[in-house]
């Protein structure tokens, strides 16, 4: 049963950076002020997002199997206890559901004829990333000394890039109005 835990952990440790890259490239995708970074984001955003979702789905399936081994008694209850494991897993399931809704919204060929505009789809994706971040901080407690400060720094950097993007868009609108 340790193999399931190691596989689950490996998938988690790879899927979160992949999700992070998908979110970062998504923020930069239409940000003209970022120049070459925007061009690079446009080249890899869709592929990074698809790769991240495949990893997240695999992590979800293996993670459920891992939790099941604990509930079944085949694996020991983590040091932080069963209620904490179940709560953290519920947040992870929430992240998975929201991300799957975003993917299904993106794949719907009639999404632009409905309220499923790209903004709505990406709002779901960002919400799923937020849930995934909370899940990583909650369930990855054996890495708490590293993971939580690292997650704070990573999310802070995303917020910084998002703020720079918003400022550059606002400056471009003001410049366009004055012209």
């Amino acid at each position: 049963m340790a193999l399931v835990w190691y596989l689950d952990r490996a998938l988690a440790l790879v899927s979160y950076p992949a999700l992070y890259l998908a979110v970062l490239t998504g923020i930069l995708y239409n940000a003209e002020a970022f120049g070459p970074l925007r061009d690079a984001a446009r080249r890899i955003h869709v592929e990074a997002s698809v790769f991240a979702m495949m990893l997240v789905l695999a992590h979800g399936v293996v993670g459920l199997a891992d939790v099941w081994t604990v509930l079944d008694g085949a694996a020991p209850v983590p040091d932080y206890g069963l209620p904490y494991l179940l709560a953290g897993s519920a947040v992870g399931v929430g992240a998975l559901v929201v991300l799957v809704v975003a993917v299904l919204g993106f794949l719907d060929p009639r999404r632009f004829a409905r309220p499923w505009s790209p903004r709505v789809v990406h709002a779901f994706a960002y919400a799923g990333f937020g849930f995934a971040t909370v899940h990583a901080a909650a369930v990855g407690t054996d890495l708490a000394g590293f993971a939580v400060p690292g997650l704070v720094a990573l999310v802070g950097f995303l917020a910084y890039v998002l703020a720079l993007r918003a400022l550059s868009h606002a400056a471009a609108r003001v410049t366009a109005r004055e012209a």
Side-chain angles (χ1 to χ4, degrees), residues 83-97:
Y84 197 79
L85 173 69
L86 294 176
S89 298
V91 172
V93 168
L96 182 61
V97 168

Side-chain angles (χ1 to χ4, degrees), residues 3 14 32 34 42 46 51-52 70 78-80 82 84 90 93 99 101 108 116 123 125-126 143 173:
L3 180 62
V14 176
E32 292 184 26
F34 286 89
R42 286 179 168 241
V46 172
F51 179 67
V70 172
D79 291 341
Y80 49 78
L82 190 59
Y84 197 79
V93 168
L99 288 169
V101 167
D108 181 5
W116 286 93
Y126 291 141
L143 296 173
R173 274 186 254 143

Side-chain angles (χ1 to χ4, degrees), residues 10-102:
L11 286 166
L13 290 173
V14 176
S15 64
Y16 189 81
L19 267 178
Y20 186 87
L21 180 63
V23 170
L24 181 60
T25 58
I27 291 170
L28 297 173
Y29 193 87
N30 289 327
E32 292 184 26
F34 286 89
L37 290 176
R38 182 199 67 170
D39 297 338
R42 286 179 168 241
R43 282 193 299 273
I44 67 168
H45 175 64
V46 172
E47 291 81 1
S49 299
V50 169
F51 179 67
M53 278 310 302
M54 290 187 326
L55 287 171
V56 166
L57 287 172
H59 171 57
V61 169
V62 175
L64 287 174
D66 184 32
V67 170
W68 180 255
T69 61
V70 172
L71 293 175
D72 193 34
V77 175
D79 291 341
Y80 49 78
L82 190 59
Y84 197 79
L85 173 69
L86 294 176
S89 298
V91 172
V93 168
L96 182 61
V97 168
V98 171
L99 288 169
V100 166
V101 167

Side-chain angles (χ1 to χ4, degrees), residues 88-148:
S89 298
V91 172
V93 168
L96 182 61
V97 168
V98 171
L99 288 169
V100 166
V101 167
V103 168
L104 292 176
F106 179 76
L107 294 175
D108 181 5
R110 297 170 294 187
R111 69 183 175 272
F112 297 116
R114 295 188 199 148
W116 286 93
S117 71
R119 288 187 192 272
V120 173
V121 171
H122 284 90
F124 273 105
Y126 291 141
F129 178 75
F131 273 105
T133 300
V134 171
H135 170 71
V139 178
T141 55
D142 57 326
L143 296 173
F146 169 76
V148 175

